[in-house]
Amino acid sequence: SQKYRFIGLMKLDSTHTESLGNELLLPALKFIRYRQIHVIDLSAMALEDEQIRQLAIYVEENPKMRSLAIADNYFTDEGLNQLILSLR
């Protein structure tokens, strides 16, 4: 059986700004790539379309990723479409 590495990022509490998830995304993706993490949880990080586009680029370049959770963010259908296209 394969073992997968997991990372979950989330806002710590309501005192953080709405953009905290946005500020954490690029450093997190660098760490995820370096550590070869396969299961990624970016739920409730206030990610918007621009950050989802950055995530889509990462997804295209990272075939080892097995699971991605992005629930409870602020992206629209446009951002989601970018992510879907990157999975093809």
Side-chain angles (χ1 to χ4, degrees):
S1 74
Q2 270 187 325
K3 292 185 179 180
Y4 294 110
R5 294 176 183 221
F6 171 82
I7 188 167
L9 299 174
M10 63 185 76
K11 292 170 62 171
L12 299 177
D13 59 47
S14 61
T15 62
H16 288 79
T17 64
E18 287 291 312
S19 65
L20 178 61
N22 298 335
E23 293 172 11
L24 291 175
L25 183 63
L26 290 179
L29 293 178
K30 288 180 184 178
F31 177 79
I32 291 165
R33 180 176 287 127
Y34 174 73
R35 297 293 302 198
Q36 298 182 1
I37 295 172
H38 302 110
V39 179
I40 304 166
D41 186 350
L42 301 175
S43 299
M45 287 190 53
L47 301 178
E48 297 176 356
D49 286 340
E50 181 58 33
Q51 290 72 41
I52 295 298
R53 284 185 202 98
Q54 293 169 351
L55 182 59
I57 292 168
Y58 170 79
V59 167
E60 271 187 305
E61 298 171 350
N62 185 15
K64 293 184 180 198
M65 186 184 67
R66 296 293 177 243
S67 176
L68 174 65
I70 53 173
D72 299 320
N73 282 292
Y74 301 136
F75 58 87
T76 66
D77 288 346
E78 183 180 327
L80 184 59
N81 284 334
Q82 290 292 320
L83 187 56
I84 290 168
L85 291 174
S86 71
L87 294 170
R88 292 184 176 177

